[in-house]
Amino acid sequence: MFGRRGRTAPGPRSAAGLRRIVTGLALPPGWTRDTLVEVVARRRRRPIQLVPIDAAVIGGQYSGAWLKRDHDDLVVYADSSSLRHSTNVVCHELTHMLLRHDEVATPESAADAVDVVRAVSRPGVRAVFGRSGYADEQEYEAELLAGMIIAARRPGFGDDAAGRIAGSF
């Protein structure tokens, strides 16, 4: 249900590997959150829906969760978040998808999953992935990739000192 038997997702990637993922997305400079969602959905060959919900359900204004269903994915985030913060949260959840963390992650506890599923009223949820559903190493990797994607919104990503610093992690 949560992965394929006998197959594991790739382990931690090098900075160069993460930069290749960012480059492979071919996002235009100044991309929007919706553009990023469309690009990742095309890459995964399945729709992704954004679902704003009450922050208390997902553990705070700066938290999010990924609900994997049979034929699509839902990314939930706090409805009280600013566009900037919700974009960061959504980007972080999308990076878990890009990194295929669902193939090795342990889903959220059953109680947390029930709360989130009830809050979004969406049937057919196969797994809920959130902060406690991943190993710390996967959270670090996803956060780093999300930061690199956000940094790539600036023209010349990787050509300036800040881009080189971000890419060195």
Side-chain angles (χ1 to χ4, degrees):
M1 179 159 84
F2 302 115
R4 297 181 190 113
R5 288 189 179 267
R7 181 174 180 205
T8 60
R13 288 159 182 84
S14 66
L18 294 176
R19 280 193 299 275
R20 280 192 297 276
I21 292 171
V22 175
T23 303
L25 293 173
L27 291 164
W31 53 265
T32 66
R33 183 177 66 192
D34 292 340
T35 303
L36 177 61
V37 170
E38 290 170 15
V39 167
V40 175
R42 273 195 310 271
R43 187 174 189 147
R44 288 176 53 80
R45 295 187 180 112
R46 42 189 291 132
I48 299 171
Q49 296 179 46
L50 301 184
V51 183
I53 64 172
D54 186 330
V57 175
I58 55 172
Q61 187 171 355
Y62 305 114
S63 295
W66 162 24
L67 286 73
K68 183 175 182 179
R69 299 195 305 176
D70 290 332
H71 304 290
D72 67 352
D73 296 294
L74 307 177
V75 173
V76 298
Y77 62 94
D79 57 6
S80 58
S81 295
S82 68
L83 179 60
R84 178 180 176 200
H85 284 121
S86 64
T87 297
N88 288 341
V89 168
V90 168
C91 184
H92 177 91
E93 297 305 326
L94 294 174
T95 61
H96 281 298
M97 294 177 197
L98 291 168
L99 295 165
R100 298 179 12 225
H101 286 165
D102 58 317
E103 294 181 15
V104 294
T106 303
E108 286 286 315
S109 71
D112 291 342
V114 168
D115 288 344
V116 172
V117 172
R118 279 189 187 139
V120 298
S121 302
R122 305 291 167 106
V125 174
R126 307 273 297 184
V128 177
F129 300 100
R131 282 179 296 163
S132 64
Y134 300 98
D136 288 341
E137 197 170 80
Q138 291 173 321
E139 278 300 317
Y140 174 78
E141 184 180 51
E143 192 62 24
L144 185 56
L145 180 56
M148 293 171 78
I149 291 171
I150 296 289
R153 289 177 81 175
R154 295 186 337 268
F157 170 69
D159 295 335
D160 61 355
R164 288 192 304 277
I165 291 169
S168 69
F169 289 102

